[in-house]
């Protein structure tokens, strides 16, 4: 009996040791990847890879922040995440409001922050599951810890899908307005932000009545935030 007990104990310790080493390895690898992407521009993203694997053409042109119109940065904040500079990856008030609203809505609305959307685009697959949500939470907290807000915003503006197969503000500006991203005006930037919730259904080059209304709502929100000076006040 003592021998069997010792064998069982060693077996349990071996399993625990293996799990601990596996978890530690995962943490080390993911921290290294996220830290590397703080400085290295991502060559692609999980969402782009899914598009390519389905046979679709992907238009992706990385552009540094200093070559992107500040109107574009302000528009996505006004549209997607007005508390972007104040939270640590999750907007708890927006989440609570969404839960309340979704009790009476036919189509549930989300409350994802820009940080969460960067994680979804870069690392995750389509669909919903507790595993996917857990990975999203982990990477969001890690990214908020290791990246400045300016980097999160820069990556978002470069990898967000702004049209069917069109990723990033530079590709969208060239495709829909025939100009580089640094020349986007306030209305054009707000139009791109307006289609972000459903870029494969809504079109920036042929905006529907809804997109036009949403564009002007975003412009009003950009003005309420204080215009592009808001970005300078919160740059870090």
């Amino acid at each position: 009996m003592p021998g069997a007990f010792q064998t069982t104990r060693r077996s349990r310790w071996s399993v625990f040791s293996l799990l601990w080493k596996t978890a530690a390895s995962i943490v080390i690898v993911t921290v290294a990847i996220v830290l590397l992407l703080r400085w290295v521009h991502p060559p692609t993203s999980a969402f782009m890879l899914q598009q390519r694997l389905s046979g679709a053409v992907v238009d992706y042109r990385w552009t540094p922040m200093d070559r992107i119109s500040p109107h574009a940065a302000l528009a996505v904040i006004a549209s997607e995440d007005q508390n972007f500079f104040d939270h640590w990856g999750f907007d708890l008030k927006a989440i609570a409001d969404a839960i309340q609203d979704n009790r009476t809505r036919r189509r549930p609305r989300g409350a994802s922050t820009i940080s969460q959307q960067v994680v979804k685009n870069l690392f995750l697959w389509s669909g919903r599951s507790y595993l996917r949500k857990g990975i999203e939470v982990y990477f969001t907290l890690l990214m908020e810890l290791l990246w400045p807000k300016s980097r999160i915003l820069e990556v978002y503006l470069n990898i967000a899908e702004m049209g069917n197969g069109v990723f990033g503000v530079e590709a969208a500006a060239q495709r829909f307005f025939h100009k580089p991203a640094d020349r986007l005006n306030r209305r054009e930037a707000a139009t791109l932000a307006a289609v972000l919730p459903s870029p494969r259904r809504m079109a920036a080059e042929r905006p529907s009545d809804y997109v036009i209304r949403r564009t002007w709502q975003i412009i009003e929100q950009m003005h309420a935030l204080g215009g592009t000076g808001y970005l300078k006040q919160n740059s870090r």
Side-chain angles (χ1 to χ4, degrees):
M1 290 294 293
F5 175 78
Q6 291 293 335
T7 300
T8 301
R9 187 175 181 181
R10 283 196 299 269
S11 178
R12 289 177 178 175
W13 174 253
S14 296
V15 171
F16 174 79
S17 178
L18 177 61
L19 291 174
W20 185 89
K21 290 177 181 178
T22 301
S25 298
I26 291 172
V27 170
I28 291 170
V29 170
T30 52
V31 167
I33 291 172
V34 173
L35 192 59
L36 180 66
L37 290 174
R38 173 173 176 165
W39 294 284
V40 176
H41 307 323
T44 187
S45 71
F47 274 29
M48 290 182 218
L49 287 174
Q50 290 175 47
Q51 284 275 70
R52 289 192 171 102
L53 289 173
S54 69
V57 176
V58 169
D59 189 353
Y60 169 53
R61 316 176 196 185
W62 178 272
T63 303
M65 197 68 169
D66 59 6
R67 288 168 49 197
I68 296 175
S69 167
H71 293 302
L74 183 62
V76 298
I77 290 173
S79 173
E80 299 291 296
D81 188 1
Q82 293 191 16
N83 294 318
F84 173 67
F85 290 111
D86 299 320
H87 61 64
W88 283 85
F90 305 94
D91 189 335
L92 300 183
K93 183 179 184 304
I95 293 171
D97 290 344
I99 292 173
Q100 183 67 29
D101 290 348
N102 289 341
R103 292 175 180 173
T104 56
R105 288 172 63 98
R106 293 183 61 186
R107 289 187 177 182
R109 72 176 182 89
S112 293
T113 62
I114 285 175
S115 305
Q116 288 174 271
Q117 292 180 54
V118 170
V119 167
K120 291 175 185 177
N121 276 269
L122 267 181
F123 302 116
L124 301 181
W125 60 94
S126 300
R128 295 183 179 182
S129 68
Y130 289 115
L131 173 62
R132 183 180 183 276
K133 179 57 68 174
I135 295 173
E136 177 190 321
V137 169
Y138 170 73
F139 271 105
T140 300
L141 292 172
L142 192 59
M143 191 173 66
E144 283 277 349
L145 179 65
L146 298 177
W147 292 9
K149 288 287 189 178
S150 58
R151 178 59 174 174
I152 296 173
L153 187 58
E154 180 183 41
V155 173
Y156 180 69
L157 286 167
N158 274 281
I159 68 171
E161 190 172 14
M162 298 184 175
N164 192 6
V166 181
F167 289 85
V169 67
E170 179 65 29
Q174 297 282 0
R175 174 76 63 89
F176 305 131
F177 302 115
H178 311 291
K179 60 173 65 174
D182 62 353
R183 290 176 52 200
L184 287 171
N185 60 36
R186 185 174 58 176
R187 180 189 60 80
E188 292 163 343
T191 301
L192 293 178
V195 305
L196 280 172
S198 188
R200 300 180 191 180
R201 183 170 58 87
M202 297 183 284
E205 76 274 31
R206 295 185 304 277
S208 63
D209 290 342
Y210 168 80
V211 171
I212 293 172
R213 289 195 305 271
R214 183 65 185 134
T215 295
W216 288 106
Q217 289 172 355
I218 293 171
I219 289 174
E220 290 176 0
Q221 291 164 348
M222 292 165 69
H223 178 73
L225 286 174
T228 54
Y230 172 80
L231 299 173
K232 296 178 182 178
Q233 295 171 6
N234 290 279
S235 61
R236 55 186 172 92

